Amino acid sequence: MNVPVPAEAPWDGAAALRDASALATLARDCVTSGVERRALHVRLSLVSDRLREPRHERLVREALAPMLRPTRARLYELPGGDLVALSPPPAEHLDEVRRNLSLLLPEIPAEILLPVLRLPAEAARLLTLVEAALGLEASLPVASPPRPNVPPPSMAELDGAQRALLSANLTAFLRRRGVWRLGEGDEHPQPLWTELRPHLPDLVAALLPGRDLTGHPALARRFRQAVERRMLAELAPPQEARLLGETCLPLLLGSALEAEFLRLDAALGPHGRMRLLVAVPASEWLADPGGFTLLQRLSLMRGWTLALDEVEAGLLRAWPGARLDHAMLRLRFRPEMLAADAVARASLDAALPEDRNRVILTGAETPAAIAWGWQRGITRFMGRVLEAR
Amino acid sequence: MKAKAADWRAALAATPAGGIAVFQPVNAPVAVRRVARALLEEAAILGGGQVLGFPGGDLLLGNAAGPGQRAAQAMGALTGSTPPSFPLPEGQPPVAALCEAASQATAQPGWSLAGLEAHCAQWRLEDAARLTLLESGPGGVPVAQRLGPAPLGLDDPELEAMARDWVCRRILAALTHPVERARLPMLRPGLRLILDLPLGGLGHGAPLRAGAAGDPNGPIALLPLASLADPVGFAGVAEGLRQGGWTVGLLGTHPAALDAGIAPELLLAAPAGPVPPPPRPAGLIALGRPAPAWCRGAGILHEGFA
């Protein structure tokens, strides 16, 4: 059922992800409607790679055929390679299929390799295994290692770093990542913008050796702004600006109101500005509401798109003002969002802009993030799971 | 200075008939000046002409009227105040007067971080701390007093916020110091206290208790609105303050802060604009004097009308 994917495709998990998402929905539907189903879970992810060649996969599918052919059963392929065959009761061919499969794959006992689940009674178990296949386990928050006691820079040191940045060459420090569109019906993600961002930790190490800015937000902002000014100065000459294309620039409010950005804005011209997305942290509104209002009006007047960046679910709930009209919103995905209860889910959904094309889900490091986004109509993503492998 | 003066006179005289002069004065945040400058320069490219910079403002001398007029209208749409424009050559005398004044103005000094930090550390506490009296309703009788840092009036809101934080810490330290305390403005007995706090609240020093927890008329602690950027950290700081008997409020730097839609259990102090914000926030402290008429309503603390 999967269309072969060309080797150069950046991401080939879309079909499996869609299947996982559909299976989770179906499991929930079974619970609400009480409809019974039998699910045969074929845990091919347990089988060693040696046996997982195309010939074997064909044999597995042939072995499943008696169950699928005569009934309305459906086969779902999960990320990671597991298969789930779902069939309405009495599922008379299920035992036969299990026997065939365990003959085919004798290394692992059938009760481990081929568990059978009954819906709706065991819907929770099925949902758990779907979530596991989506990479939830891999994305559980990892406690960061304790930091050695590194002091922040003095103001004089920060002044020095800002001066050094006036003439630094940032080329080696710039990182490019894609902003993608991936709808439920799409086989491959489509690039929308390329995000251009200076890699701050490397710059801190280079310009403020032995100093640490974490835990000092005001100093970190000052440093970031000086870096962004320099990046904008490098982008603003007309011959550079012409090359920009569909670009997303994450900027602090102060950087977006600097002369360097205004020069870039002028150099881009009307067509270039239409292709530019400027993402400013939502917290910048709080620090300077007047400046943010000015920037928002400027974006409407000049024709580039403004996005509220680094929006956390908690912030959106505590401060609905973060949902500024006309602006786009870059919502940061956190694995905890999958575990949120119905109330928290509903309040977050209500706080999102109704036009979900205005939402970009960032930090999509696992397929679970994509599935979470799809459940609320979000189809624009950023994250490792979408980047070329 | 003399050469510069001759420059603008010559340029003004050389602008062809049918041209335009647009003058954007410096009376706003530096970002407004930068945006205005960019728009004026664009007009100079589109219509021919040049932009001259003065300590007190920027002047477009445009050879064609259209682009200059559009730039002036754009500034009006962006900031709410349209810079004056003059057809040339008829407008030469008023433009010359504006240039004369703008070249005499003193530009704001550029601060280094180290310089600003040193200034805030050495600033006489008597001058750095300021006591403001607040009224409620039209009565003219003070009911509350705010102790906080005197504004530096910097054109960079971020530097102003850093300076505010540094001075707030000095005021906090002085409040619990037997000798330094005498250098702070004398608090008036019987008036509700509003105390400006730095980003992290009272910090880890000796807790400054305000009274019994839960008193709705207890003293008010004002945290910068930017504290909300860290919702979890802010919740902890706010809860600690409430336990110590404080009522928690947020401090915005612009009338637009009143549109923030923040939680109703938090007070909000911000400069009051001429018109009330659409849903009038409960628990508002209107900053700025004279307070606009809509602040006369019950329950709004303000700095007085006269």
Side-chain angles (χ1 to χ4, degrees):
Chain A
M1 63 189 292
N2 276 328
V3 178
V5 172
E8 69 276 13
W11 193 63
D12 59 2
L17 189 47
R18 229 170 16 245
D19 275 13
S21 189
L23 189 57
T25 309
L26 203 139
R28 289 200 188 90
D29 288 350
C30 285
V31 173
T32 31
S33 64
V35 169
E36 290 191 20
R37 289 283 185 277
R38 297 281 182 280
L40 173 62
H41 184 195
V42 186
R43 300 177 68 186
L44 292 179
S45 57
L46 297 179
V47 177
S48 68
D49 289 343
R50 184 174 54 83
L51 294 172
R52 297 182 62 189
E53 38 184 283
R55 190 170 56 89
H56 277 95
E57 285 201 14
R58 204 169 52 242
L59 289 173
V60 167
R61 280 168 198 264
E62 278 169 16
L64 282 164
M67 185 177 164
L68 301 175
R69 209 174 296 130
T71 62
R72 283 173 289 127
R74 241 206 90 177
L75 186 65
Y76 298 85
E77 182 176 332
L78 301 182
D82 281 9
L83 300 174
V84 175
L86 208 64
S87 109
E92 60 267 12
H93 297 287
L94 198 144
D95 288 333
E96 180 201 338
V97 165
R98 264 188 105 204
R99 249 190 329 272
N100 291 347
L101 283 172
S102 53
L103 286 174
L104 197 64
L105 301 161
E107 291 89 346
I108 305 171
E111 52 272 26
I112 293 172
L113 182 71
L114 302 162
V116 176
L117 291 92
R118 289 158 182 275
L119 296 179
E122 292 178 290
R125 245 182 93 198
L126 183 61
L127 283 173
T128 308
L129 77 89
V130 169
E131 284 176 355
L134 285 172
L136 247 187
E137 286 163 330
S139 65
L140 282 179
V142 184
S144 52
R147 300 190 67 84
N149 201 7
V150 184
S154 70
M155 294 305 139
E157 287 170 331
L158 204 48
D159 284 331
Q162 292 187 53
R163 273 193 304 276
L165 277 165
L166 289 177
S167 57
N169 180 347
L170 291 192
T171 315
F173 296 97
L174 291 186
R175 300 282 182 276
R176 287 178 166 76
R177 292 191 312 162
V179 180
W180 307 88
R181 176 172 44 223
L182 182 69
E184 279 196 66
D186 301 339
E187 281 302 327
H188 307 300
Q190 301 297 318
L192 296 171
W193 291 276
T194 301
E195 181 193 90
L196 205 54
R197 177 197 287 273
H199 192 250
L200 290 176
D202 287 357
L203 279 158
V204 173
L207 292 168
L208 293 166
R211 296 289 181 261
D212 188 13
L213 292 171
T214 47
H216 303 275
L219 306 187
R221 278 163 54 114
R222 211 67 201 164
F223 183 77
R224 180 177 161 186
Q225 193 175 326
V227 170
E228 288 170 357
R229 269 186 80 174
R230 183 61 205 156
M231 175 181 74
L232 291 165
E234 289 178 1
L235 297 176
Q239 68 275 19
E240 298 293 328
R242 261 197 299 279
L243 301 175
L244 265 188
E246 316 288 339
T247 298
C248 169
L249 294 177
L251 297 176
L252 289 178
L253 177 59
S255 313
L257 290 171
E258 274 289 355
E260 286 81 0
F261 177 76
L262 297 165
R263 267 206 294 283
L264 172 64
D265 165 285
L268 283 173
H271 294 293
R273 287 196 287 267
M274 273 167 58
R275 302 160 76 184
L276 178 67
L277 177 68
V278 177
V280 179
S283 53
E284 298 281 282
W285 191 96
L286 298 165
D288 181 8
F292 211 107
T293 306
L294 174 66
L295 188 72
Q296 202 185 356
R297 290 179 183 161
L298 192 66
S299 82
L300 291 174
M301 178 178 287
R302 304 294 289 176
W304 44 266
T305 308
L306 178 65
L308 286 176
D309 202 8
E310 300 171 20
V311 177
E312 301 279 350
L315 180 74
L316 208 52
R317 277 195 293 264
W319 176 50
R323 200 182 74 178
L324 284 187
D325 296 338
H326 311 299
M328 293 194 59
L329 197 132
R330 298 217 302 179
L331 178 67
R332 180 135 55 191
F333 178 78
R334 300 278 183 201
E336 300 87 277
M337 284 151 79
L338 294 159
D341 60 36
V343 178
R345 267 207 307 271
S347 76
L348 176 57
D349 288 356
L352 288 176
E354 241 167 78
D355 176 7
R356 295 295 155 87
N357 280 336
R358 281 173 47 201
V359 182
I360 298 170
L361 194 66
T362 63
E365 314 292 18
T366 63
I370 311 279
W372 185 91
W374 281 354
Q375 277 172 10
R376 29 199 59 71
I378 296 169
T379 55
R380 294 169 172 217
F381 300 98
M382 279 192 79
R384 261 205 305 269
V385 72
L386 293 156
E387 294 296 320
R389 293 196 274 185
Chain B
M1 270 325 242
K2 271 226 165 91
K4 239 183 178 171
D7 280 351
W8 67 257
R9 280 184 221 286
L12 180 59
T15 307
I20 191 171
V22 180
F23 182 79
Q24 171 73 38
V26 176
N27 56 0
V30 67
V32 171
R33 179 176 192 175
R34 289 198 195 111
V35 170
R37 174 101 198 184
L39 292 175
L40 294 181
E41 276 171 2
E42 191 175 61
I45 290 168
L46 290 175
Q50 58 182 315
V51 180
L52 304 175
F54 299 93
D58 292 304
L59 177 75
L60 164 73
L61 292 173
N63 297 344
Q69 275 163 357
R70 281 192 289 278
Q73 283 160 4
M75 280 312 293
L78 287 173
T79 66
S81 87
T82 309
S85 57
F86 307 86
L88 294 176
E90 308 89 293
Q92 275 186 7
V95 171
L98 279 172
C99 291
E100 198 72 63
S103 56
Q104 307 290 320
T106 41
Q108 205 174 85
W111 284 96
S112 70
L113 289 174
L116 186 62
E117 186 184 42
H119 173 80
C120 290
Q122 290 154 11
W123 202 0
R124 265 168 39 98
L125 203 51
E126 291 83 343
D127 301 326
R130 169 179 292 185
L131 191 73
T132 322
L133 299 181
L134 290 103
E135 305 165 8
S136 177
V141 184
V143 294
Q145 52 190 334
R146 175 183 174 202
L147 177 63
L152 275 171
L154 304 181
D155 60 10
D156 179 339
E158 204 172 312
L159 285 181
E160 182 77 33
M162 287 175 93
R164 177 192 176 275
D165 241 43
W166 283 323
V167 176
C168 274
R169 280 176 221 286
R170 281 189 69 199
I171 294 175
L172 261 187
L175 272 174
T176 50
H177 191 280
V179 181
E180 289 287 295
R181 185 167 182 151
R183 301 176 58 199
L184 293 174
M186 187 84 82
L187 294 180
R188 303 263 193 104
L191 297 187
R192 191 178 186 187
L193 175 67
I194 302 172
L195 181 66
D196 276 61
L197 292 184
L199 205 56
L202 293 171
H204 301 295
L208 202 57
R209 281 199 70 84
D215 176 5
N217 287 313
I220 298 164
L222 276 190
L223 293 159
L225 192 55
S227 316
L228 277 188
D230 171 15
V232 178
F234 174 75
V237 168
E239 189 47 38
L241 285 167
R242 289 194 188 103
Q243 292 298 322
W246 294 88
T247 297
V248 181
L250 290 167
L251 174 67
T253 53
H254 191 272
L258 298 176
D259 303 331
I262 57 163
E265 68 266 22
L266 296 165
L267 300 182
L268 179 60
V275 286
R280 194 153 83 194
L284 176 67
I285 302 171
L287 303 180
R289 186 181 168 92
W294 64 267
C295 297
R296 282 174 211 265
I300 299 179
L301 286 169
H302 59 78
E303 293 186 12
F305 300 105

